Amino acid sequence: MREPLSKTYAPREFEERIYSSWCEGGYFAPSGDRRAPAYTIVIPPPNITGQLHMGHALDNTLQDILIRYKRMQGYDTLWVPGTDHASIATEAKIVEAMRKEGLTKEAVGREEFLRRAWAWKDKYAGRIVEQLKKMGASCDWSRERFTLDEGCSRAVREVFVRLYDKGLIYRGERIINWCPKCLTSLSDAEVEYQDQAGHFWHIRYPLTDGSGSIELATTRPETLLGDTAVAVNPGDERYRHLVGKTLRLPLVGREIPVIADEYVEADFGTGAVKITPAHDPNDFEVGQRHGLPIENVMTPDAKITDDYPAYAGMDRYAARKAIVADLEAGGYLARVENYTHSVGTCYRCGTTVEPRVSLQWFVKMAPLAAPAIEAVRGGEVRFVPERFEKNYLRWMENIRDWCISRQLWWGHRIPAFYCDECGKTVITKDDAALCPACGKPMRQDPDTLDTWFSSALWPFSTLGWPDDTDDLRRYYPTSSLVTGYDIITFWVSRMIFSGLAYTGKAPFDTVVIHGLVRDAQGRKMSKSLGNGIDPLEIIDKYGADALRFALASGNSPGNDMRFSDEKIEAARNFANKLWNAARFALLYLPEDDDTPPALPDAARLAPEDKWLLAHYRRTVAAVRDNLDRYEIGIALSEIYDFVWDIFCDWYVELSKSRLADAGSDGAAVARATLTWVLTGILKLLHPYMPFITEEIYQSLPHDAPSIMIARYPAPQDVEDFGTEATDFDRVIRAIGAVRARRAEMNVPPSRRANVYLKTAYPASFAGAEPFFVKLAGAASLSIVDAYDAKDAVSIITDAATLYIPLSDMVDPAKERARLEGELKKVREGIARTEAKLSNEGFVSKAPAAVVEAERERLAKMKATEAGLVASIETIAQA
RNA sequence: GGAGGCAUAGCUCAGUCGGUAGAGCACUCGCUUCACAUGCGAGGGGUCACAGGUUCGAGUCCUGUUGUCUCCACCA
């Protein structure tokens, strides 16, 4: 059944309709064909914090291109969609929303808070799904998942219990990164370091024996309250005699020891370091080594505790100011330097992290990291581009234990149960109601897990793990994972070690990395800059296909890209071009013709048909080759060039004369070739621009119910015509040369010229007259053995010399000068090539094919030279 | 402090196996050519950041320099 194609390209009129037709057709689900190999992608689940941005648009466009390409190749494809609960980010949003209502988490309580969170999830997950559909994403929606749904939660508990039983999960009092705004711990990966201008305060700590003082330097004087020692390097002569003595902590009066530890570098600062085990990770370790007390001086929201009445309730920065003032007043402050140093901040809210000692759950990483390193080293998992392997390996090799507990409510609650009666701890997949030891009711750990703990299981939890499901057996391990380089550490690395640890297999074979989408000025898109571009607005204005085209074109793996109005307009223009090419083809197709296009026998094809088909064959091969290597941008530019330059600018024009002769065999052949190649173009392009290609496909006679499930073109679909096909290039070049000359000589298009053509390849030009008439402003074309060029303009190409009577053109003197200029250029080329060929090193060492190509080039240039010389001679005689 | 990316036309970027540098946009000239002015035809525009090296031959491979961006790292 053919549908009419509207006159203008208006994507809004058909994109939604087409998406619904795909849903109704059930094309998004895997084919289930067991003879075909499976190809699986799991979506990097977008956070339910808000709506999709350009980065998501890029990520999902690339995934959809791959999955559609594989689907059309006959793979049993599955793209699993879903969303991430994003515990810390979502919780922050909900807390913020409640704050506007004058509410707090604590005020509403855990149950009500979670009710609100689920309502939030329903709203935003739904919105995200709608956006993905608008973009054309061919996900299997029947398999949509959520990191906090029942199945994923079961997987999380399973993993937690297994790791605990193996001794790979432990609970301990450690110093961790703490966000005083989000009021939770953070993993090392969740801290971003930024250089900040600050000060270096030099402070004197007096010795308790009154024999003087030690001067030390700090960037954080407020932590002085928690100092429990001062450390020096054991080899530092300046301080050796002081080790073992004690100091009087300024403002506090506490007596603290001077200790020696290798951690201290003698030549940095004053060579003496104040040790605050509760508020600095290094100091914590020093403290552990020396058995120092841990003196916590701050509340969770980074205010000084009531233990220090002079500063109690002040936040850390106010306290810093007050303490510096007091130090100065007390004569302890030696001097202040300006100092820029690196400060850790929360990756979600940007607040400066406060290291804090607290009781948290950790994953012991070393045993898990080892196989994950091996999987990448050994090639079981491959990164595209390869360089990101290094990134991954470096991180994995230096990994430290992973702090997985969060003081948040929105997330997977830690399956640890405590008996307050007898102190027993139970880790269980099932909720433990009563203590197995004393029978008393148990209390579940109030904390939740790091959101990345559940994302790490995504490639298999979404397929049914821990159960041995059909999906898991069929579609796991998955094939390609497409994601940005910014979450390799957060997510990719954790999926790899998780997959290996729990399923025994790496979760995917290829990690396809893309860059960031930046604005037209190259800046990162961000809320604070307000330079974000909403994909939905672009779709509304230009269509989803144009958006997808703009994101895919020029995209090279791992590199950032810029998004600009120019780019999206170019994309829309291309869509419009394709649309109109289709309208042209339809002009010649009888409305009742429902026969799917087939290529006529080679014997019936005209030279220009073979020429087109040869280019098509080459293009198909190049597109497939590049797609197979994830060179999505290069593959697209191959299609673009073929569609615009070869198909539209040349072939459509070349076909017009035959098509006009309605009823002739030539018209039938041209029509069939045109339609067949157009259909091939639509299929080639479908993964990139699914809507427009389907809309046009449905307007043409077609065999598959949807282009989505049509077979992807292969080079062998068309015969290799060999040199026969390139013979037509001679005509193309001759036409181009005539056009160029006319433009150069400012000949008005209305001025038609009789063209005489002398050639060593008369067969190539046999039926060429209509093309010269149509495309080169010719009145006629005569093939001649000789032509008296005295009063003619000559146009020389390597295959022919064309003459146009001067009366049909203009100015002989100008013409002669031009010919001489051209002769000079050709002679330069000849000299260069001859030099190359007379270079023995080149002839003997370069590959034979390269040498041969040079010889051919030389022969062509010599032919051109001879033609030019002859023309200059004749014009000189005139 | 380590590691990596990038540097090519006015702008944004491609450039696969080392073989006379490409696209889009912008610019100039000419086009109411019956698919498309979201278009057609023709042009101008490049010391491929710099300096060495390898090679018959380098935008491409190697070394160094400069600029720029990013990642990692506990320097108080």
Side-chain angles (χ1 to χ4, degrees):
Chain A
M1 233 350 242
R2 287 172 57 191
E3 302 292 337
L5 195 66
S6 73
K7 192 161 166 4
T8 52
Y9 170 58
R12 259 193 289 192
E13 284 169 19
F14 60 81
E15 290 189 347
E16 212 156 302
R17 164 167 52 79
I18 282 177
Y19 199 88
S20 317
S21 79
W22 291 332
C23 291
E24 282 159 27
Y27 307 134
F28 296 158
S31 66
D33 181 354
R34 292 298 148 117
R35 290 160 306 176
Y39 181 85
T40 314
I41 295 180
V42 287
I43 199 171
N47 290 347
I48 54 159
T49 39
Q51 48 196 5
L52 300 188
H53 56 246
M54 261 323 163
H56 293 113
L58 172 66
D59 191 50
N60 289 296
T61 294
L62 298 178
Q63 290 173 72
D64 199 40
I65 288 168
L66 293 175
I67 205 97
R68 284 179 186 270
Y69 171 56
K70 293 291 182 180
R71 186 184 292 119
M72 289 175 78
Q73 282 183 310
Y75 285 81
D76 182 20
T77 51
L78 171 60
W79 185 9
V80 182
T83 46
D84 195 307
H85 69 285
S87 80
I88 184 170
T90 307
E91 180 150 334
K93 292 252 179 186
I94 296 166
V95 167
E96 175 62 18
M98 290 197 315
R99 196 186 58 81
K100 283 179 187 155
E101 292 177 47
L103 293 170
T104 65
K105 262 169 79 174
E106 290 68 24
V108 301
R110 190 161 190 147
E111 201 175 320
E112 167 60 15
F113 179 84
L114 288 177
R115 194 195 57 75
R116 285 170 180 253
W118 278 102
W120 176 286
K121 182 261 168 185
D122 288 341
K123 181 172 164 194
Y124 284 95
R127 192 181 282 187
I128 286 165
V129 167
E130 281 318 302
Q131 285 177 299
L132 287 169
K133 289 180 174 175
K134 276 213 155 74
M135 291 204 46
S138 60
C139 305
D140 181 357
W141 298 110
S142 73
R143 285 175 167 85
E144 184 191 340
R145 298 297 299 271
F146 178 54
T147 49
L148 208 48
D149 68 21
E150 207 189 319
C152 291
S153 301
R154 211 156 64 84
V156 163
R157 279 208 170 186
E158 177 76 29
V159 164
F160 193 98
V161 171
R162 280 197 202 180
L163 287 177
Y164 182 83
D165 289 346
K166 280 191 202 159
L168 294 178
I169 278 186
Y170 62 89
R171 194 180 189 215
E173 185 128 306
R174 298 293 162 91
I175 189 153
I176 44 89
N177 305 294
W178 180 269
C179 176
K181 177 144 185 260
C182 301
L183 295 176
T184 178
S185 56
L186 299 170
S187 69
D188 294 338
E190 287 170 316
V191 177
E192 281 175 1
Y193 289 88
Q194 286 173 0
D195 276 354
Q196 280 180 15
H199 301 281
F200 216 17
W201 284 274
H202 290 247
I203 307 167
R204 279 186 293 263
Y205 283 22
L207 286 149
T208 43
D209 62 10
S211 63
S213 66
I214 289 183
E215 183 179 318
L216 48 79
T218 180
T219 55
R220 302 200 52 201
E222 71 278 15
T223 62
L224 161 155
L225 302 175
D227 286 0
T228 52
V230 165
V232 298
N233 188 284
D236 194 332
E237 296 298 337
R238 293 172 297 173
Y239 299 114
R240 182 166 287 178
H241 64 288
L242 299 176
V243 173
K245 292 196 171 188
T246 58
L247 302 164
R248 181 76 56 200
L249 187 56
L251 310 183
V252 179
R254 188 157 60 230
E255 193 170 333
I256 58 172
V258 177
I259 58 171
D261 194 284
E262 290 290 348
Y263 154 70
V264 181
E265 287 175 38
D267 51 5
F268 186 85
T270 64
V273 185
K274 62 194 255 333
I275 300 299
T276 322
H279 296 287
D280 182 279
N282 293 306
D283 293 6
F284 180 80
E285 282 174 25
V286 173
Q288 295 291 98
R289 283 197 286 275
H290 296 269
L292 298 174
I294 295 165
E295 186 66 25
N296 191 343
V297 302
M298 281 186 231
T299 59
D301 56 352
K303 288 180 178 142
I304 305 301
T305 61
D306 294 342
D307 297 342
Y308 303 89
Y311 312 103
M314 288 186 187
D315 83 15
R316 44 191 170 160
Y317 302 109
R320 177 179 299 176
K321 233 178 181 170
I323 286 173
V324 168
D326 291 349
L327 285 171
E328 192 165 16
Y332 297 106
L333 191 64
R335 62 198 172 95
V336 186
E337 288 174 59
N338 284 329
Y339 188 69
T340 298
H341 61 130
S342 178
V343 176
T345 59
C346 171
Y347 83 133
R348 281 299 162 202
C349 71
T351 304
T352 298
V353 162
E354 187 58 51
R356 183 179 170 84
V357 174
S358 61
L359 187 59
Q360 304 285 348
W361 288 92
F362 296 86
V363 175
K364 200 169 170 183
M365 285 306 303
L368 294 166
I373 289 166
E374 192 37 44
V376 169
R377 280 238 181 85
E380 195 186 341
V381 177
R382 189 169 69 96
F383 280 78
V384 177
E386 216 171 311
R387 69 182 128 94
F388 288 100
E389 248 181 57
K390 276 189 208 151
N391 251 348
Y392 166 89
L393 288 172
R394 192 181 44 229
W395 190 79
M396 214 41 132
E397 281 160 1
N398 298 313
I399 200 159
R400 299 201 292 172
D401 285 356
W402 177 15
C403 175
I404 50 169
S405 46
R406 296 289 178 275
Q407 289 61 55
L408 299 167
W409 286 350
W410 178 235
H412 303 272
R413 196 157 168 184
I414 289 171
F417 298 83
Y418 311 112
C419 177
D420 291 329
E421 200 67 30
C422 67
K424 188 163 178 60
T425 296
V426 175
I427 306 299
T428 168
K429 285 185 263 184
D430 314 303
D431 291 352
L434 295 174
C435 177
C438 66
K440 291 281 180 341
M442 299 191 87
R443 177 175 57 82
Q444 184 170 7
D445 195 304
D447 290 351
T448 53
L449 287 164
D450 182 359
T451 200
W452 299 100
F453 192 92
S454 57
S455 338
L457 318 179
W458 188 247
F460 44 95
S461 64
T462 52
L463 294 173
W465 191 91
D467 293 336
D468 182 24
T469 62
D470 287 347
D471 271 6
L472 199 65
R473 280 195 300 268
R474 175 68 179 156
Y475 301 108
Y476 186 86
T478 70
S479 311
S480 311
L481 181 90
V482 181
T483 194
Y485 57 69
D486 50 332
I487 57 171
I488 292 175
T489 48
F490 280 118
W491 192 44
V492 177
S493 57
R494 285 165 180 165
M495 280 191 288
I496 293 175
F497 76 66
S498 301
L500 289 164
Y502 318 135
T503 71
K505 292 173 195 157
F508 28 74
D509 53 56
T510 311
V511 182
V512 183
I513 299 292
H514 61 250
L516 267 38
V517 183
R518 297 175 176 274
D519 73 1
Q521 282 86 51
R523 297 172 306 180
K524 214 164 159 172
M525 290 187 188
S526 72
K527 274 200 195 88
S528 50
L529 274 175
N531 62 341
I533 301 171
D534 180 359
L536 285 185
E537 278 175 29
I538 297 288
I539 290 173
D540 195 48
K541 197 165 165 203
Y542 298 96
D545 286 329
L547 172 64
R548 294 168 61 118
F549 184 103
L551 289 169
S553 73
N555 187 279
S556 68
N559 290 344
D560 289 353
M561 61 178 305
R562 298 188 189 199
F563 195 88
S564 62
D565 289 348
E566 289 77 23
K567 210 165 218 167
I568 185 72
E569 277 168 18
R572 189 267 324 268
N573 292 353
F574 177 71
N576 186 60
K577 187 75 182 170
L578 180 70
W579 187 267
N580 282 293
R583 280 182 56 226
F584 173 80
L586 286 166
L587 281 181
Y588 299 94
L589 275 177
E591 266 173 46
D592 56 352
D593 184 354
D594 267 340
T595 324
L599 222 40
D601 291 340
R604 289 171 69 204
L605 293 173
E608 64 270 28
D609 297 330
K610 290 180 183 167
W611 174 85
L612 172 74
L613 291 169
H615 276 286
Y616 175 76
R617 190 181 151 94
R618 216 215 98 253
T619 302
V620 171
V623 169
R624 293 179 68 119
D625 180 50
N626 280 296
L627 278 176
D628 289 341
R629 296 185 297 115
Y630 300 96
E631 285 288 359
I632 286 167
I634 297 178
L636 182 55
S637 87
E638 291 282 353
I639 303 174
Y640 180 95
D641 290 347
F642 176 75
V643 170
W644 206 305
D645 299 342
I646 303 293
F647 188 72
C648 292
D649 286 349
W650 281 105
Y651 187 76
V652 163
E653 298 304 327
L654 292 166
S655 70
K656 280 179 179 172
S657 51
R658 274 189 298 163
L659 289 169
D661 188 7
S664 68
D665 184 58
V669 171
R671 187 173 61 221
T673 308
L674 187 72
T675 317
W676 188 86
V677 172
L678 175 62
T679 303
I681 286 170
L682 296 173
K683 291 176 186 169
L684 279 180
L685 201 52
H686 180 260
Y688 293 89
M689 307 181 96
F691 296 108
I692 187 177
T693 49
E694 180 77 284
E695 180 73 355
I696 298 173
Y697 185 77
Q698 295 297 338
S699 77
L700 295 165
H702 52 276
D703 36 23
S706 162
I707 193 171
M708 261 191 80
I709 52 167
R711 201 181 50 82
Y712 204 71
Q716 56 272 22
D717 295 345
V718 54
E719 193 179 323
D720 181 0
F721 298 107
T723 57
E724 229 186 315
T726 51
D727 283 357
F728 195 76
D729 277 332
R730 294 177 179 134
V731 177
I732 300 278
R733 281 200 298 270
I735 289 172
V738 174
R739 278 174 173 175
R741 180 64 58 79
R742 289 175 60 100
E744 195 179 333
M745 295 173 79
N746 286 317
V747 181
S750 55
R751 190 139 174 201
R752 302 251 132 198
N754 292 302
V755 177
Y756 299 89
L757 184 146
K758 195 179 77 180
T759 177
Y761 312 98
S764 297
F765 290 90
E769 182 170 40
F771 305 142
F772 280 81
V773 170
K774 176 95 192 151
L775 305 174
S780 69
L781 176 74
S782 318
I783 297 175
V784 296
D785 292 332
Y787 189 80
D788 179 4
K790 252 199 307 259
D791 48 1
V793 171
S794 12
I795 301 163
I796 292 122
T797 71
D798 58 69
T801 302
L802 298 102
Y803 303 92
I804 299 176
L806 265 185
S807 54
D808 290 1
M809 304 278 269
V810 254
D811 200 355
K814 225 174 162 182
E815 171 61 6
R816 185 176 169 182
R818 198 200 56 76
L819 286 169
E820 275 169 353
E822 204 154 298
L823 182 62
K824 193 176 158 222
K825 254 190 211 163
V826 173
R827 284 188 165 151
E828 279 166 13
I830 290 174
R832 223 180 5 252
T833 310
E834 276 179 339
K836 211 175 206 180
L837 284 167
S838 59
N839 177 343
E840 208 168 308
F842 175 71
V843 178
S844 59
K845 292 184 186 172
V850 172
V851 176
E852 193 42 45
E854 281 304 303
R855 292 218 168 95
E856 269 174 39
R857 187 206 304 276
L858 182 62
K860 280 188 179 178
M861 285 191 296
K862 288 222 162 179
T864 308
E865 183 196 23
L868 283 166
V869 167
S871 300
I872 289 167
E873 270 170 22
T874 49
I875 210 167
Q877 287 160 16

